[in-house]
Each structure stands twice: as structure tokens, then as C-alpha cells.
Amino acid sequence: MTDLPVLTHWIDGAAGAGASTRTAPVYNPATGAVQRLVSLASAADVDTVVASAQAAYPSWRDASIAKRQGVMFTFRELLNARKGELADILTNEHGKVTSDALGEIARGLEVVEFALGLPHLSKGEFSENVSTGVDVYTLRQPLGVVGIISPFNFPAMVPLWFLPLAIAAGNCVVLKPSEKDPSAANWLAALLTEAGLPDGVFNVVHGDKEAVDALLVNPDVQAISFVGSTPIAKYIYETAAHHGKRVQALGGAKNHMLVLPDADLDLAADAAVNAGFGSAGERCMAISVIVAVEPVADELIAKIAERVKGLKVGDGMRGCDMGPLITEAHRDKVAGYIDIAHADGAEVVIDGRGIEVDGEASGFWLGPTLFDKVSLDSAVYTDEIFGPVLSVVRVASYTDGVAVINASKYGNGTAIFTNDGGAARRFQHEVQVGMVGINVPIPVPVAYHSFGGWKDSLFGDAKAYGPAGISFYTREKAVTARWLDPSHGGINLGFPQNT
């Protein structure tokens, strides 16, 4: 491994190594081969990067809105023109197929485009003459240095949920991406520099828990944005809040899809396959559980199984439908739930182990897996598996189905499939979940609405992007002003007088 290239941090507008000599391997999940190493920052390295961002902050804060908007517009144009390069990086390090990679970038671009409207969206309010000669108005100002800690499953999209709004609002950013697929972060940093972003405004520090903890406690970091598993989200929220920071902490999920007897089962089956197995199930909005209201379960399962037969699993560069999982250890963990399902009495309709793939045998493969008659107390149901595993739970009625969903500790996303508008309207009112789809399996809001769940899927009340993102990355200042009228005898404005 000593001959492999090393991906370093991005500091002051250029790649730069820290003092730490620790590294971690970065795999190609489709081959199982280590393709590069990534530097792992020490706490001192993190402090150095934060100091760089802090030094850049005053001039970026004071830059005109027009200048900041111009940089972001150029960045948007460059990103759109060269998204193929970034997609190849995502496929190479994460394993997702090219179509999924391009879709991820498209959703990130939406937030960049939303950020271009910040001059209008961040305007304050003005109340004239609230008292005689007194006006009150509000300003929205940036926070300072903000940290972003992003997960492995969306190496481009999740950073793009946060950094465009943070930068456009006048903040400086330190991004700590996942060490499993880190190259996209440096690519974005280089593109921002090419777009004209001043040195130090956007920085990347690679690392593990040591780097994360250093960001959480650094007194110059004013806010933390995080997406990841629920236990880590809770830790991030509690630690960062304890150290006086604003926190966006988006956690895990177990997303249910309720299928009513009147639903279009072909539409529901297509949705289940796409939402359950797309990106190898490694997404927090994936459908993990189908709640089938009888008597539709048998027919729906048959339709899903038929569609799975046509899926091509393999190297994302070869035009396949589904790629590998991120690491060998994660693949083995996900595959272990098949044995758990057997032991807990579920029916294994499709076993994704040992499938034929279009790729190297050494890749981290697991095919689509489908369970039926899953018990609500089985770990297959309760755990966030984060892989291409879909469970079917059978219920007798709509009411029973909603009760199953609402009893979950998670509340990220959910969907209902039905042709009954009244049932759909009742569902959106009764279900205790933050994002709801009606005949839409993955209801990720567009950029001008905000993303975030309920219960153990979100800690605190700060959601991502949209109006919530603007509020998060700015703070409001209220000004009460009185200016004496020029006719007041105590003021001489220096005008000539005709005496």
C-alpha cells in the first residue's frame, strides 16, 4: 500500500497534507481492490483547517451579495458541465451505478440553484415609524465557520445539501466527508476554487472519529450539519449542542410503504423495486418495509419477484441496474440478516447471496433480497439494515398498517399506494413521519422545501436545505433606529443659508 496515491486535505484553496501520518484505505467496491489511501487528520490538523476558515471569514462575510452569488452561479455552471467526471468518481468509490450517481448530482444541483436565490430569500423585514421617528428592521447575517459531516452513501449530494447555502450566506465551511469515499469532496473543493471562491472559504478535512470530535469541540466552529445513523446523530447533536453550537443532525430510518387493496399493484411493484434496491439500498430514504393490506400481499410479492429477475447486478461502469455495497464488512453484516430472517420464522422469497454478477468476483456483492411474513420483533424489521433488503409485513386493514408505521421509533419517510384520495388524505394527516409520499416511494422534497424526519430520524428541530437551511446558516439581528429630523435645532447639515 505504500505505493498507492494519498488523498490529502484541502486547505486554503489547495491540497495539503496535515501533520498526522495516519491513513485509511479507499476501495473500489466493484473489485475489492484498494485504489488509494486517504489522510486521517489529527485534532491539531482539524484546528489548523478551522483556523484557515476563520481567517478567511471576515472578508467573505463582507463580500457583496452580488459577488457571492456570482461565484455560486459559476460553480453551478461548472458542476453541470462536468457532472460526468463527478459521477465516475462516485461509481468508482461508492459503487453505485452511473444513473444513480448522475441522479445524486442532479439533486445536489437543485440546492445550488436554490442558493442562487439567496439575495431575495435572506431579506429582512422593515417596520416604519413604530413610534414617533423610530423604525425597526431585521438583518440576516452569517454565523462564521460551520462544519459539515457527511455520510458515505451520498458523497456529493449531502455536502451539496449544505455547502451552497452556507457559502452563499457568507459563512466559511469545513467539510469532513466519509473516509470510505472521500474523493468527491476534494473534486468539489477544486471546482469551487475554479469558480472563483476565495481561499479558505471552503475546506476539506479527512478523518475518522478523532477529526469529528475535534470539529464538535472547536470554539471557532459555530454550527454543525450532520447526516448519518441514529446513534451517531444523537451523539453529534448532544456533543455539539453541549459546546454551544447550532446543530442539524439527521439520523437513520426504517421507511414503510403502505399498499392498500385498491392500489395499482404494477405501479407499487415498480416503486418497491426502485426504492428498495436502488443504490443497493444504501440510502436513508430507501423503502425497507412493505406493509401490505390483505389480500394484496401474494400478488404484490409475485410482481416484485418477477421484476427482480430482470435486474442486472454488477460494476456500475458497465450499465448495470445495481452495484455492490460499500465495504466487505458492511456486505457481510447485511447478508447476515438473511440468517436472522430464517431463524425468526420469516419466509426468504429471494436470497441475494451468491448471485451471478457482471463484475469481479472479489467485489462486495449482495443481490436484492426479499422477505415475507416478517415479525415486528425481529431484528430484520427493527434494525436499519442499509442494504438491498426488502421486508413484507401483512396487515388486515388500513388502521393496522398505520399503527405499525407509527409504532416505529423512526420517522424519516413513508409512502402510501392507493387510488383512494380520501385514504391518502387521511394517511398524510395521521402518519407520524416527516416526509410522506402519495404514490411516490421516495418523497425527498425539492430544494425549495426542507428535508427532515421525525422521532429518532432527526435530533433537534433544524431540517436540511430549503427555508430551514437559510434560517440555519444565518442569524437574525433586530435594529431599532431613530434619526432626528433635519429641522431639529441641534443638527447643522451644512447647507448654505440665504440670510
Side-chain angles (χ1 to χ4, degrees), residues 261-299:
D262 72 317
D264 181 330
L265 294 188
D266 287 314
L267 177 65
D270 289 341
V273 171
N274 291 332
F277 305 131
S279 201
E282 293 174 325
R283 48 190 181 190
C284 66
M285 288 293 282
I287 290 296
S288 303
V289 181
I290 296 174
V291 182
V293 179
E294 292 291 34
V296 302
D298 288 341
E299 184 179 358

PDB file of all heavy atoms in Angstrom, residues 261-299:
ATOM      1  N   PRO A 261     -55.570  -2.269  -0.802  1.00  0.00           N
ATOM      2  CA  PRO A 261     -56.114  -3.228  -1.784  1.00  0.00           C
ATOM      3  C   PRO A 261     -56.501  -2.598  -3.118  1.00  0.00           C
ATOM      4  O   PRO A 261     -56.533  -3.290  -4.139  1.00  0.00           O
ATOM      5  CB  PRO A 261     -57.345  -3.802  -1.066  1.00  0.00           C
ATOM      6  CG  PRO A 261     -57.031  -3.656   0.387  1.00  0.00           C
ATOM      7  CD  PRO A 261     -56.266  -2.372   0.491  1.00  0.00           C
ATOM      8  N   ASP A 262     -56.791  -1.304  -3.138  1.00  0.00           N
ATOM      9  CA  ASP A 262     -57.201  -0.678  -4.396  1.00  0.00           C
ATOM     10  C   ASP A 262     -56.027  -0.132  -5.200  1.00  0.00           C
ATOM     11  O   ASP A 262     -56.216   0.462  -6.268  1.00  0.00           O
ATOM     12  CB  ASP A 262     -58.185   0.469  -4.117  1.00  0.00           C
ATOM     13  CG  ASP A 262     -57.501   1.673  -3.491  1.00  0.00           C
ATOM     14  OD1 ASP A 262     -56.661   1.467  -2.580  1.00  0.00           O
ATOM     15  OD2 ASP A 262     -57.770   2.803  -3.918  1.00  0.00           O
ATOM     16  N   ALA A 263     -54.809  -0.325  -4.721  1.00  0.00           N
ATOM     17  CA  ALA A 263     -53.637   0.255  -5.374  1.00  0.00           C
ATOM     18  C   ALA A 263     -53.383  -0.390  -6.726  1.00  0.00           C
ATOM     19  O   ALA A 263     -53.751  -1.552  -6.979  1.00  0.00           O
ATOM     20  CB  ALA A 263     -52.407   0.095  -4.483  1.00  0.00           C
ATOM     21  N   ASP A 264     -52.729   0.353  -7.600  1.00  0.00           N
ATOM     22  CA  ASP A 264     -52.199  -0.198  -8.855  1.00  0.00           C
ATOM     23  C   ASP A 264     -50.967  -1.020  -8.482  1.00  0.00           C
ATOM     24  O   ASP A 264     -49.903  -0.470  -8.175  1.00  0.00           O
ATOM     25  CB  ASP A 264     -51.835   0.953  -9.794  1.00  0.00           C
ATOM     26  CG  ASP A 264     -51.299   0.483 -11.137  1.00  0.00           C
ATOM     27  OD1 ASP A 264     -50.677  -0.598 -11.193  1.00  0.00           O
ATOM     28  OD2 ASP A 264     -51.477   1.213 -12.138  1.00  0.00           O
ATOM     29  N   LEU A 265     -51.095  -2.334  -8.495  1.00  0.00           N
ATOM     30  CA  LEU A 265     -50.018  -3.191  -7.992  1.00  0.00           C
ATOM     31  C   LEU A 265     -48.796  -3.202  -8.903  1.00  0.00           C
ATOM     32  O   LEU A 265     -47.677  -3.450  -8.435  1.00  0.00           O
ATOM     33  CB  LEU A 265     -50.534  -4.608  -7.752  1.00  0.00           C
ATOM     34  CG  LEU A 265     -51.573  -4.754  -6.631  1.00  0.00           C
ATOM     35  CD1 LEU A 265     -51.863  -6.227  -6.362  1.00  0.00           C
ATOM     36  CD2 LEU A 265     -51.111  -4.068  -5.344  1.00  0.00           C
ATOM     37  N   ASP A 266     -48.988  -2.954 -10.188  1.00  0.00           N
ATOM     38  CA  ASP A 266     -47.817  -2.834 -11.063  1.00  0.00           C
ATOM     39  C   ASP A 266     -47.011  -1.593 -10.695  1.00  0.00           C
ATOM     40  O   ASP A 266     -45.772  -1.633 -10.627  1.00  0.00           O
ATOM     41  CB  ASP A 266     -48.258  -2.780 -12.533  1.00  0.00           C
ATOM     42  CG  ASP A 266     -48.726  -4.134 -13.049  1.00  0.00           C
ATOM     43  OD1 ASP A 266     -48.029  -5.134 -12.801  1.00  0.00           O
ATOM     44  OD2 ASP A 266     -49.794  -4.181 -13.683  1.00  0.00           O
ATOM     45  N   LEU A 267     -47.705  -0.494 -10.462  1.00  0.00           N
ATOM     46  CA  LEU A 267     -47.026   0.731 -10.032  1.00  0.00           C
ATOM     47  C   LEU A 267     -46.346   0.510  -8.688  1.00  0.00           C
ATOM     48  O   LEU A 267     -45.189   0.920  -8.481  1.00  0.00           O
ATOM     49  CB  LEU A 267     -48.040   1.870  -9.933  1.00  0.00           C
ATOM     50  CG  LEU A 267     -47.504   3.213  -9.418  1.00  0.00           C
ATOM     51  CD1 LEU A 267     -46.489   3.805 -10.383  1.00  0.00           C
ATOM     52  CD2 LEU A 267     -48.660   4.193  -9.185  1.00  0.00           C
ATOM     53  N   ALA A 268     -47.030  -0.144  -7.766  1.00  0.00           N
ATOM     54  CA  ALA A 268     -46.464  -0.393  -6.434  1.00  0.00           C
ATOM     55  C   ALA A 268     -45.249  -1.306  -6.512  1.00  0.00           C
ATOM     56  O   ALA A 268     -44.257  -1.096  -5.806  1.00  0.00           O
ATOM     57  CB  ALA A 268     -47.527  -0.988  -5.517  1.00  0.00           C
ATOM     58  N   ALA A 269     -45.306  -2.328  -7.363  1.00  0.00           N
ATOM     59  CA  ALA A 269     -44.173  -3.247  -7.504  1.00  0.00           C
ATOM     60  C   ALA A 269     -42.968  -2.535  -8.110  1.00  0.00           C
ATOM     61  O   ALA A 269     -41.826  -2.724  -7.659  1.00  0.00           O
ATOM     62  CB  ALA A 269     -44.574  -4.439  -8.355  1.00  0.00           C
ATOM     63  N   ASP A 270     -43.193  -1.731  -9.140  1.00  0.00           N
ATOM     64  CA  ASP A 270     -42.091  -0.957  -9.720  1.00  0.00           C
ATOM     65  C   ASP A 270     -41.464  -0.052  -8.668  1.00  0.00           C
ATOM     66  O   ASP A 270     -40.227   0.047  -8.555  1.00  0.00           O
ATOM     67  CB  ASP A 270     -42.603  -0.093 -10.885  1.00  0.00           C
ATOM     68  CG  ASP A 270     -42.961  -0.905 -12.117  1.00  0.00           C
ATOM     69  OD1 ASP A 270     -42.495  -2.054 -12.237  1.00  0.00           O
ATOM     70  OD2 ASP A 270     -43.717  -0.380 -12.964  1.00  0.00           O
ATOM     71  N   ALA A 271     -42.316   0.609  -7.880  1.00  0.00           N
ATOM     72  CA  ALA A 271     -41.823   1.521  -6.849  1.00  0.00           C
ATOM     73  C   ALA A 271     -41.027   0.779  -5.783  1.00  0.00           C
ATOM     74  O   ALA A 271     -39.978   1.248  -5.322  1.00  0.00           O
ATOM     75  CB  ALA A 271     -42.994   2.263  -6.216  1.00  0.00           C
ATOM     76  N   ALA A 272     -41.517  -0.391  -5.387  1.00  0.00           N
ATOM     77  CA  ALA A 272     -40.832  -1.165  -4.344  1.00  0.00           C
ATOM     78  C   ALA A 272     -39.442  -1.595  -4.795  1.00  0.00           C
ATOM     79  O   ALA A 272     -38.470  -1.526  -4.027  1.00  0.00           O
ATOM     80  CB  ALA A 272     -41.666  -2.385  -3.971  1.00  0.00           C
ATOM     81  N   VAL A 273     -39.322  -2.023  -6.040  1.00  0.00           N
ATOM     82  CA  VAL A 273     -38.025  -2.447  -6.569  1.00  0.00           C
ATOM     83  C   VAL A 273     -37.069  -1.263  -6.664  1.00  0.00           C
ATOM     84  O   VAL A 273     -35.903  -1.342  -6.234  1.00  0.00           O
ATOM     85  CB  VAL A 273     -38.201  -3.132  -7.933  1.00  0.00           C
ATOM     86  CG1 VAL A 273     -36.849  -3.374  -8.604  1.00  0.00           C
ATOM     87  CG2 VAL A 273     -38.947  -4.446  -7.772  1.00  0.00           C
ATOM     88  N   ASN A 274     -37.543  -0.157  -7.204  1.00  0.00           N
ATOM     89  CA  ASN A 274     -36.676   1.015  -7.352  1.00  0.00           C
ATOM     90  C   ASN A 274     -36.273   1.593  -6.003  1.00  0.00           C
ATOM     91  O   ASN A 274     -35.109   1.956  -5.786  1.00  0.00           O
ATOM     92  CB  ASN A 274     -37.389   2.084  -8.187  1.00  0.00           C
ATOM     93  CG  ASN A 274     -37.563   1.684  -9.630  1.00  0.00           C
ATOM     94  OD1 ASN A 274     -36.770   0.914 -10.161  1.00  0.00           O
ATOM     95  ND2 ASN A 274     -38.601   2.188 -10.280  1.00  0.00           N
ATOM     96  N   ALA A 275     -37.234   1.698  -5.083  1.00  0.00           N
ATOM     97  CA  ALA A 275     -36.966   2.336  -3.793  1.00  0.00           C
ATOM     98  C   ALA A 275     -36.272   1.405  -2.816  1.00  0.00           C
ATOM     99  O   ALA A 275     -35.591   1.866  -1.899  1.00  0.00           O
ATOM    100  CB  ALA A 275     -38.274   2.838  -3.184  1.00  0.00           C
ATOM    101  N   GLY A 276     -36.454   0.098  -2.998  1.00  0.00           N
ATOM    102  CA  GLY A 276     -35.830  -0.849  -2.086  1.00  0.00           C
ATOM    103  C   GLY A 276     -34.424  -1.254  -2.476  1.00  0.00           C
ATOM    104  O   GLY A 276     -33.567  -1.484  -1.621  1.00  0.00           O
ATOM    105  N   PHE A 277     -34.160  -1.317  -3.797  1.00  0.00           N
ATOM    106  CA  PHE A 277     -32.890  -1.865  -4.262  1.00  0.00           C
ATOM    107  C   PHE A 277     -32.015  -0.855  -4.996  1.00  0.00           C
ATOM    108  O   PHE A 277     -30.851  -1.133  -5.271  1.00  0.00           O
ATOM    109  CB  PHE A 277     -33.157  -3.077  -5.162  1.00  0.00           C
ATOM    110  CG  PHE A 277     -34.001  -4.128  -4.506  1.00  0.00           C
ATOM    111  CD1 PHE A 277     -35.103  -4.676  -5.158  1.00  0.00           C
ATOM    112  CD2 PHE A 277     -33.727  -4.570  -3.215  1.00  0.00           C
ATOM    113  CE1 PHE A 277     -35.895  -5.651  -4.555  1.00  0.00           C
ATOM    114  CE2 PHE A 277     -34.509  -5.537  -2.601  1.00  0.00           C
ATOM    115  CZ  PHE A 277     -35.606  -6.081  -3.268  1.00  0.00           C
ATOM    116  N   GLY A 278     -32.558   0.307  -5.345  1.00  0.00           N
ATOM    117  CA  GLY A 278     -31.734   1.339  -5.963  1.00  0.00           C
ATOM    118  C   GLY A 278     -30.610   1.766  -5.049  1.00  0.00           C
ATOM    119  O   GLY A 278     -30.770   1.824  -3.828  1.00  0.00           O
ATOM    120  N   SER A 279     -29.443   2.040  -5.636  1.00  0.00           N
ATOM    121  CA  SER A 279     -28.247   2.400  -4.859  1.00  0.00           C
ATOM    122  C   SER A 279     -27.939   1.333  -3.808  1.00  0.00           C
ATOM    123  O   SER A 279     -27.414   1.628  -2.729  1.00  0.00           O
ATOM    124  CB  SER A 279     -28.421   3.776  -4.197  1.00  0.00           C
ATOM    125  OG  SER A 279     -27.175   4.338  -3.863  1.00  0.00           O
ATOM    126  N   ALA A 280     -28.287   0.066  -4.146  1.00  0.00           N
ATOM    127  CA  ALA A 280     -28.053  -1.088  -3.266  1.00  0.00           C
ATOM    128  C   ALA A 280     -28.699  -0.904  -1.900  1.00  0.00           C
ATOM    129  O   ALA A 280     -28.247  -1.481  -0.904  1.00  0.00           O
ATOM    130  CB  ALA A 280     -26.563  -1.381  -3.124  1.00  0.00           C
ATOM    131  N   GLY A 281     -29.764  -0.112  -1.836  1.00  0.00           N
ATOM    132  CA  GLY A 281     -30.464   0.090  -0.574  1.00  0.00           C
ATOM    133  C   GLY A 281     -29.721   0.945   0.427  1.00  0.00           C
ATOM    134  O   GLY A 281     -30.162   1.103   1.569  1.00  0.00           O
ATOM    135  N   GLU A 282     -28.590   1.537   0.009  1.00  0.00           N
ATOM    136  CA  GLU A 282     -27.773   2.324   0.935  1.00  0.00           C
ATOM    137  C   GLU A 282     -28.204   3.792   0.894  1.00  0.00           C
ATOM    138  O   GLU A 282     -27.450   4.675   0.478  1.00  0.00           O
ATOM    139  CB  GLU A 282     -26.294   2.190   0.569  1.00  0.00           C
ATOM    140  CG  GLU A 282     -25.756   0.792   0.801  1.00  0.00           C
ATOM    141  CD  GLU A 282     -24.329   0.625   0.310  1.00  0.00           C
ATOM    142  OE1 GLU A 282     -23.969   1.231  -0.723  1.00  0.00           O
ATOM    143  OE2 GLU A 282     -23.569  -0.131   0.947  1.00  0.00           O
ATOM    144  N   ARG A 283     -29.422   4.055   1.317  1.00  0.00           N
ATOM    145  CA  ARG A 283     -29.907   5.429   1.396  1.00  0.00           C
ATOM    146  C   ARG A 283     -30.956   5.520   2.496  1.00  0.00           C
ATOM    147  O   ARG A 283     -31.754   4.607   2.695  1.00  0.00           O
ATOM    148  CB  ARG A 283     -30.448   5.913   0.057  1.00  0.00           C
ATOM    149  CG  ARG A 283     -31.393   4.988  -0.641  1.00  0.00           C
ATOM    150  CD  ARG A 283     -31.658   5.475  -2.077  1.00  0.00           C
ATOM    151  NE  ARG A 283     -32.584   4.604  -2.784  1.00  0.00           N
ATOM    152  CZ  ARG A 283     -32.823   4.687  -4.088  1.00  0.00           C
ATOM    153  NH1 ARG A 283     -32.220   5.600  -4.814  1.00  0.00           N
ATOM    154  NH2 ARG A 283     -33.674   3.872  -4.667  1.00  0.00           N
ATOM    155  N   CYS A 284     -30.962   6.652   3.175  1.00  0.00           N
ATOM    156  CA  CYS A 284     -31.828   6.797   4.343  1.00  0.00           C
ATOM    157  C   CYS A 284     -33.295   6.953   3.967  1.00  0.00           C
ATOM    158  O   CYS A 284     -34.157   6.901   4.833  1.00  0.00           O
ATOM    159  CB  CYS A 284     -31.382   7.974   5.205  1.00  0.00           C
ATOM    160  SG  CYS A 284     -31.572   9.586   4.402  1.00  0.00           S
ATOM    161  N   MET A 285     -33.592   7.141   2.674  1.00  0.00           N
ATOM    162  CA  MET A 285     -34.981   7.222   2.240  1.00  0.00           C
ATOM    163  C   MET A 285     -35.410   5.974   1.474  1.00  0.00           C
ATOM    164  O   MET A 285     -36.485   5.961   0.863  1.00  0.00           O
ATOM    165  CB  MET A 285     -35.193   8.470   1.395  1.00  0.00           C
ATOM    166  CG  MET A 285     -35.166   9.761   2.192  1.00  0.00           C
ATOM    167  SD  MET A 285     -36.560   9.917   3.330  1.00  0.00           S
ATOM    168  CE  MET A 285     -37.858  10.394   2.195  1.00  0.00           C
ATOM    169  N   ALA A 286     -34.597   4.933   1.493  1.00  0.00           N
ATOM    170  CA  ALA A 286     -34.981   3.678   0.844  1.00  0.00           C
ATOM    171  C   ALA A 286     -36.215   3.088   1.519  1.00  0.00           C
ATOM    172  O   ALA A 286     -36.410   3.225   2.731  1.00  0.00           O
ATOM    173  CB  ALA A 286     -33.826   2.684   0.907  1.00  0.00           C
ATOM    174  N   ILE A 287     -37.041   2.436   0.739  1.00  0.00           N
ATOM    175  CA  ILE A 287     -38.143   1.667   1.321  1.00  0.00           C
ATOM    176  C   ILE A 287     -37.580   0.359   1.854  1.00  0.00           C
ATOM    177  O   ILE A 287     -36.952  -0.406   1.121  1.00  0.00           O
ATOM    178  CB  ILE A 287     -39.240   1.397   0.275  1.00  0.00           C
ATOM    179  CG1 ILE A 287     -39.976   2.693  -0.066  1.00  0.00           C
ATOM    180  CG2 ILE A 287     -40.236   0.346   0.793  1.00  0.00           C
ATOM    181  CD1 ILE A 287     -40.744   3.315   1.077  1.00  0.00           C
ATOM    182  N   SER A 288     -37.782   0.113   3.133  1.00  0.00           N
ATOM    183  CA  SER A 288     -37.288  -1.105   3.780  1.00  0.00           C
ATOM    184  C   SER A 288     -38.402  -2.097   4.070  1.00  0.00           C
ATOM    185  O   SER A 288     -38.158  -3.300   4.160  1.00  0.00           O
ATOM    186  CB  SER A 288     -36.580  -0.756   5.093  1.00  0.00           C
ATOM    187  OG  SER A 288     -35.522   0.149   4.886  1.00  0.00           O
ATOM    188  N   VAL A 289     -39.628  -1.580   4.266  1.00  0.00           N
ATOM    189  CA  VAL A 289     -40.754  -2.425   4.678  1.00  0.00           C
ATOM    190  C   VAL A 289     -41.970  -2.113   3.810  1.00  0.00           C
ATOM    191  O   VAL A 289     -42.353  -0.944   3.674  1.00  0.00           O
ATOM    192  CB  VAL A 289     -41.122  -2.188   6.162  1.00  0.00           C
ATOM    193  CG1 VAL A 289     -42.279  -3.105   6.571  1.00  0.00           C
ATOM    194  CG2 VAL A 289     -39.918  -2.407   7.061  1.00  0.00           C
ATOM    195  N   ILE A 290     -42.549  -3.154   3.238  1.00  0.00           N
ATOM    196  CA  ILE A 290     -43.845  -3.027   2.575  1.00  0.00           C
ATOM    197  C   ILE A 290     -44.914  -3.510   3.546  1.00  0.00           C
ATOM    198  O   ILE A 290     -44.862  -4.656   4.011  1.00  0.00           O
ATOM    199  CB  ILE A 290     -43.903  -3.850   1.281  1.00  0.00           C
ATOM    200  CG1 ILE A 290     -42.889  -3.331   0.262  1.00  0.00           C
ATOM    201  CG2 ILE A 290     -45.306  -3.809   0.677  1.00  0.00           C
ATOM    202  CD1 ILE A 290     -42.780  -4.185  -0.979  1.00  0.00           C
ATOM    203  N   VAL A 291     -45.833  -2.635   3.875  1.00  0.00           N
ATOM    204  CA  VAL A 291     -46.961  -3.005   4.723  1.00  0.00           C
ATOM    205  C   VAL A 291     -48.138  -3.276   3.786  1.00  0.00           C
ATOM    206  O   VAL A 291     -48.740  -2.351   3.238  1.00  0.00           O
ATOM    207  CB  VAL A 291     -47.295  -1.890   5.730  1.00  0.00           C
ATOM    208  CG1 VAL A 291     -48.441  -2.320   6.641  1.00  0.00           C
ATOM    209  CG2 VAL A 291     -46.058  -1.539   6.564  1.00  0.00           C
ATOM    210  N   ALA A 292     -48.413  -4.543   3.578  1.00  0.00           N
ATOM    211  CA  ALA A 292     -49.409  -4.949   2.589  1.00  0.00           C
ATOM    212  C   ALA A 292     -50.740  -5.231   3.278  1.00  0.00           C
ATOM    213  O   ALA A 292     -50.833  -6.114   4.147  1.00  0.00           O
ATOM    214  CB  ALA A 292     -48.932  -6.190   1.839  1.00  0.00           C
ATOM    215  N   VAL A 293     -51.761  -4.476   2.905  1.00  0.00           N
ATOM    216  CA  VAL A 293     -53.104  -4.697   3.448  1.00  0.00           C
ATOM    217  C   VAL A 293     -53.758  -5.819   2.649  1.00  0.00           C
ATOM    218  O   VAL A 293     -53.943  -5.712   1.434  1.00  0.00           O
ATOM    219  CB  VAL A 293     -53.944  -3.411   3.378  1.00  0.00           C
ATOM    220  CG1 VAL A 293     -55.347  -3.663   3.936  1.00  0.00           C
ATOM    221  CG2 VAL A 293     -53.263  -2.281   4.166  1.00  0.00           C
ATOM    222  N   GLU A 294     -54.066  -6.887   3.332  1.00  0.00           N
ATOM    223  CA  GLU A 294     -54.610  -8.062   2.643  1.00  0.00           C
ATOM    224  C   GLU A 294     -55.925  -7.746   1.939  1.00  0.00           C
ATOM    225  O   GLU A 294     -56.679  -6.880   2.384  1.00  0.00           O
ATOM    226  CB  GLU A 294     -54.802  -9.208   3.654  1.00  0.00           C
ATOM    227  CG  GLU A 294     -53.483  -9.750   4.184  1.00  0.00           C
ATOM    228  CD  GLU A 294     -52.659 -10.505   3.149  1.00  0.00           C
ATOM    229  OE1 GLU A 294     -52.683 -10.149   1.947  1.00  0.00           O
ATOM    230  OE2 GLU A 294     -51.983 -11.468   3.538  1.00  0.00           O
ATOM    231  N   PRO A 295     -56.142  -8.347   0.775  1.00  0.00           N
ATOM    232  CA  PRO A 295     -55.493  -9.571   0.279  1.00  0.00           C
ATOM    233  C   PRO A 295     -54.429  -9.354  -0.795  1.00  0.00           C
ATOM    234  O   PRO A 295     -54.245 -10.212  -1.667  1.00  0.00           O
ATOM    235  CB  PRO A 295     -56.682 -10.314  -0.330  1.00  0.00           C
ATOM    236  CG  PRO A 295     -57.531  -9.215  -0.915  1.00  0.00           C
ATOM    237  CD  PRO A 295     -57.369  -8.039  -0.014  1.00  0.00           C
ATOM    238  N   VAL A 296     -53.660  -8.252  -0.758  1.00  0.00           N
ATOM    239  CA  VAL A 296     -52.785  -7.938  -1.892  1.00  0.00           C
ATOM    240  C   VAL A 296     -51.392  -8.547  -1.792  1.00  0.00           C
ATOM    241  O   VAL A 296     -50.650  -8.540  -2.777  1.00  0.00           O
ATOM    242  CB  VAL A 296     -52.640  -6.411  -2.064  1.00  0.00           C
ATOM    243  CG1 VAL A 296     -53.988  -5.757  -2.269  1.00  0.00           C
ATOM    244  CG2 VAL A 296     -51.888  -5.783  -0.900  1.00  0.00           C
ATOM    245  N   ALA A 297     -50.995  -9.075  -0.631  1.00  0.00           N
ATOM    246  CA  ALA A 297     -49.591  -9.433  -0.416  1.00  0.00           C
ATOM    247  C   ALA A 297     -49.078 -10.448  -1.429  1.00  0.00           C
ATOM    248  O   ALA A 297     -48.010 -10.258  -2.028  1.00  0.00           O
ATOM    249  CB  ALA A 297     -49.400  -9.946   1.011  1.00  0.00           C
ATOM    250  N   ASP A 298     -49.805 -11.536  -1.629  1.00  0.00           N
ATOM    251  CA  ASP A 298     -49.299 -12.588  -2.522  1.00  0.00           C
ATOM    252  C   ASP A 298     -49.069 -12.071  -3.937  1.00  0.00           C
ATOM    253  O   ASP A 298     -48.023 -12.332  -4.552  1.00  0.00           O
ATOM    254  CB  ASP A 298     -50.281 -13.774  -2.560  1.00  0.00           C
ATOM    255  CG  ASP A 298     -50.269 -14.574  -1.270  1.00  0.00           C
ATOM    256  OD1 ASP A 298     -49.292 -14.452  -0.505  1.00  0.00           O
ATOM    257  OD2 ASP A 298     -51.246 -15.308  -1.021  1.00  0.00           O
ATOM    258  N   GLU A 299     -50.025 -11.349  -4.465  1.00  0.00           N
ATOM    259  CA  GLU A 299     -49.888 -10.840  -5.830  1.00  0.00           C
ATOM    260  C   GLU A 299     -48.769  -9.816  -5.920  1.00  0.00           C
ATOM    261  O   GLU A 299     -47.986  -9.811  -6.890  1.00  0.00           O
ATOM    262  CB  GLU A 299     -51.208 -10.231  -6.300  1.00  0.00           C
ATOM    263  CG  GLU A 299     -51.180  -9.762  -7.749  1.00  0.00           C
ATOM    264  CD  GLU A 299     -52.503  -9.190  -8.224  1.00  0.00           C
ATOM    265  OE1 GLU A 299     -53.478  -9.186  -7.439  1.00  0.00           O
ATOM    266  OE2 GLU A 299     -52.560  -8.730  -9.382  1.00  0.00           O
TER     267      GLU A 299
END
